[in-house]
């Protein structure tokens, strides 16, 4: 058996939480910190280990932008074939979603992201005024965990210094294919205070 673990995880838990009103790393659902929930899903879904980036015990120091925090995590990841990048702000992503990302990588994909169809009509606005009606056909909303060949994600980060919404964008800009798998409706991102209340309700089954 190879001694190189197949997959390692990175949880990004730095950032200022400007839309939430304060940093989110210490927030809890059901008495467990968001970053611990994200880490546990990665471990239970098949990652051999997890690097956590942020102001948490044994955490790696984060950067100014999300992509800088991911890079700090990638630098701390030991040799592995694959890496899954997961937002601490998505505490309800399941271990089975992690396993599905990993399975797509093992099937040969270079890069895998969970995605959901957009069911609401999409508009462009300026302030409160609608200025455009956007065709949602062919559009999806993407989540984390996002999975990659580790060497590819490192190369994409090294080649693309600019900011990006996520790691999938860096890999696309690097000229490689990114595939989608079905995401989870309950895998919401804690962005505003009301998201935390909703996540707590989903978690408790209320
Ligand atoms: N993140 C990070 N380092 C940063 C920015 C974000 O590790 N410099 C992480 C956050 O901890 C979160 C995930 O990336 O788990 C998604 O970021 P987001 O929800 O946007 O968090 P913040 O950037 O902290 O919030 P905001 O954009 O509202 O300031
Ligand atoms: Mg942010």
């Amino acid at each position: 058996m190879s001694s190189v673990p197949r997959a390692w995880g990175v949880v990004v838990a730095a950032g200022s939480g400007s839309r939430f009103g304060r940093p989110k790393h210490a927030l809890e659902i059901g008495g467990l910190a968001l970053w611990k929930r994200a880490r546990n899903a990665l471990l239970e879904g098949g990652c051999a280990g997890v690097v956590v980036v942020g102001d948490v015990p044994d955490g790696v120091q984060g950067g100014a932008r999300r992509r800088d925090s991911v890079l700090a995590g990638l630098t701390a990841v030991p040799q592995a074939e694959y890496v899954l990048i997961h937002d601490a702000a998505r505490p309800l992503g399941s271990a089975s979603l992690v396993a599905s990302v990993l399975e797509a990588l093992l099937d040969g994909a270079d890069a895998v992201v969970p995605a959901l169809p957009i069911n609401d009509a999409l508009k462009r606005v300026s302030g409160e005024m609608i200025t455009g009606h956007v065709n949602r056909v062919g559009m999806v909303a993407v989540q984390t965990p996002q999975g990659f060949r580790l060497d590819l994600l490192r190369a994409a980060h090294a080649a693309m210094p600019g900011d990006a919404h996520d790691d999938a964008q860096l890999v696309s800009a690097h000229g490689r294919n990114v595939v989608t798998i079905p995401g989870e409706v309950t895998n919401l991102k804690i962005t505003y205070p009301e998201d935390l209340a909703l996540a707590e309700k989903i978690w408790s089954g209320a």
Side-chain angles (χ1 to χ4, degrees):
M1 239 180 87
S2 160
S3 59
V4 176
R6 300 219 85 175
W8 207 267
V10 171
V11 169
V12 282
S16 59
S18 57
R19 288 168 290 179
F20 192 90
R22 63 191 161 96
K24 297 181 284 197
H25 63 267
L27 300 177
E28 295 181 351
I29 287 175
L32 194 62
L34 306 187
W35 65 270
K36 288 185 184 169
R37 290 190 176 278
R39 180 198 60 187
N40 291 352
L42 289 173
L43 291 172
E44 286 163 25
C47 291
V50 174
V51 170
V52 183
V53 181
D55 187 13
V56 303
D58 296 323
V60 170
Q61 193 176 347
R65 305 169 298 181
R66 181 185 181 279
R67 62 151 298 163
D68 302 318
S69 295
V70 172
L71 183 58
L74 286 178
T75 306
V77 164
Q79 201 187 354
E81 280 182 68
Y82 309 110
V83 66
L84 273 64
I85 311 294
H86 198 13
D87 289 342
R90 291 190 189 269
L92 299 185
S94 71
S96 86
L97 180 62
V98 171
S100 298
V101 171
L102 203 44
E103 196 181 308
L105 290 169
L106 291 167
D107 281 349
D110 282 333
V112 183
V113 305
L116 286 178
I118 294 165
N119 301 320
D120 296 324
L122 272 184
K123 309 296 180 192
R124 184 167 289 113
V125 291
S126 173
E128 292 179 346
M129 197 65 72
I130 288 179
T131 57
H133 302 265
V134 180
N135 186 350
R136 72 176 174 228
V137 173
M139 306 274 273
V140 292
V142 305
Q143 308 179 331
T144 68
Q146 300 188 349
F148 307 90
R149 295 199 56 84
L150 176 57
D151 55 357
L152 168 61
L153 188 60
R154 283 188 167 138
H157 269 262
M160 309 288 159
D163 203 4
H165 297 292
D166 60 8
D167 299 284
Q169 186 181 354
L170 293 175
V171 167
S172 291
H174 198 53
R176 302 295 276 272
N177 290 329
V178 181
V179 300
T180 62
I181 61 164
E184 294 175 331
V185 175
T186 48
N187 182 21
L188 80 170
K189 184 161 79 75
I190 311 297
T191 304
Y192 296 97
E194 53 266 38
D195 300 323
L196 186 67
L198 178 58
E200 184 81 45
K201 268 191 193 166
I202 293 170
W203 176 79
S204 67

